[in-house]
Amino acid sequence: MASQVIVLHHFSQYAPMADWISLAWPRLVAFFYEDGRLAVQPFLVIGGFLAAQTLSKQSGQAVGPLIWKRYLRLAPQLVLALVLVALATLWLGHELAHEDWLSPLPTLGVFLAHLFFLQDVLGIESMSAGAWYVAIDLQLFGLFALLAHIARKSERLLSESYVPLIVAASTVASIHIFSREAALDAWAIYYFSAYGLGALVVWARDSARARMWLWITVALLLLDWLSDPRTRPVLALLTAFCLYGFSQSNGKTPSALFATAFSI
């Protein structure tokens, strides 16, 4: 559902399709234009959920190789997409030169910035609407892997698992501080409030201590919402609840699920 909403959000932005559709359904187009980007929140939560599962299976690897492996998984598809964008621009550019939504042909520097996922960090106009998310996904995975590595170093010294605690603290910091700074929207910490929730859900399924940190994070998120209601954190929280509920189901009754969810 979220993927379809974000596609419609893009359709509502870029002419000529947006111009044609808005004539027939102006309110619907306005909704997807203004609120369609909220569909990114489920992507971020699910990304954190899957990243936590991945790192739990590869806990012995160093941070650098993990990030490089993630890059190699993302880069080929992005490069192919950007090449197709450049070819389409070259082919249709003379016919659509008057359109302000058409990106110019990229220079070598612009293409290299995209290749290394640095376009938004360097303030370069994106060649494609979705390129920013690929870059943020790599940043989030790298930040998450680094936090997990630091926490595991502490485990060896203190003989206690601190990965959920450090991720929970980073999630709360993102919710209360970093996600409020629009200037940080090119950096992973801006979006970690959603990504961290997804990771905490994975650990909360099997650990009472991790479940405690998840519910503390949820309580602080709700306090933030009471003081300054924002849609993005609440949508991320609802997505995390859905992931937690379905991952705990296994044929259980609703009452049994409720009892499991709130047992610490």
Side-chain angles (χ1 to χ4, degrees):
M1 290 174 62
S3 66
Q4 296 309 306
V5 168
I6 206 66
V7 167
L8 293 171
H9 169 68
H10 290 153
F11 281 173
S12 72
Q13 283 189 300
Y14 303 114
M17 187 174 291
D19 296 335
W20 298 337
I21 298 175
S22 62
L23 293 175
W25 299 301
R27 291 185 179 179
L28 185 63
V29 170
F31 167 77
F32 283 118
Y33 181 83
E34 296 294 337
D35 299 320
R37 70 191 69 188
L38 291 172
V40 171
Q41 294 303 305
F43 298 159
L44 295 168
V45 177
I46 293 170
F49 185 86
L50 296 175
Q53 291 182 324
T54 298
L55 289 183
S56 66
K57 298 173 183 176
Q58 304 175 2
S59 58
Q61 289 194 33
V63 175
L66 279 172
I67 297 174
W68 177 244
K69 186 177 180 180
R70 184 69 174 178
Y71 173 82
L72 291 179
R73 186 172 181 176
L74 296 172
Q77 293 86 344
L78 178 65
V79 170
L80 176 60
L82 295 180
V83 168
L84 292 175
V85 167
L87 291 175
T89 302
L90 183 64
W91 181 29
L92 299 172
H94 64 283
E95 298 180 14
L96 302 174
H98 61 286
E99 300 286 357
D100 58 3
W101 53 268
L102 183 70
S103 300
L105 279 172
T107 63
L108 178 60
V110 168
F111 193 86
L112 288 175
H114 283 74
L115 179 63
F116 294 107
F117 302 163
L118 296 173
Q119 69 279 0
D120 294 315
V121 172
L122 298 176
I124 296 174
E125 183 178 357
S126 180
M127 292 174 59
S128 175
W132 75 271
Y133 183 83
V134 184
I136 287 298
D137 181 88
L138 181 65
Q139 281 193 38
L140 283 166
F141 184 84
L143 176 60
F144 182 70
L146 181 61
L147 290 173
H149 176 74
I150 293 171
R152 289 193 180 104
K153 289 287 188 182
S154 301
E155 289 176 30
R156 295 170 189 170
L157 296 175
L158 302 173
S159 301
E160 188 174 353
S161 176
Y162 280 90
V163 178
L165 169 58
I166 289 183
V167 170
S170 302
T171 302
V172 170
S174 179
I175 291 169
H176 285 268
I177 302 172
F178 301 111
S179 66
R180 296 177 179 277
E181 299 293 334
L184 295 176
D185 66 353
W187 298 95
I189 194 63
Y190 183 87
Y191 304 95
F192 202 82
S193 55
Y195 201 83
L197 278 174
L200 289 170
V201 163
V202 173
W203 300 318
R205 296 179 305 180
D206 306 314
S207 167
R209 185 178 293 275
R211 197 152 50 243
M212 177 186 70
W213 293 123
L214 171 63
W215 292 120
I216 290 174
T217 302
V218 169
L220 292 173
L221 188 154
L222 292 175
L223 284 175
D224 175 81
W225 182 81
L226 288 174
S227 63
D228 180 18
R230 293 182 292 164
T231 305
R232 288 189 297 117
V234 173
L235 182 55
L237 181 59
L238 290 175
T239 305
F241 279 156
C242 287
L243 286 174
Y244 186 80
F246 282 114
S247 66
Q248 289 281 357
S249 59
N250 296 326
K252 292 181 180 179
T253 63
S255 59
L257 277 175
F258 185 84
T260 302
F262 287 93
S263 62
I264 298 176

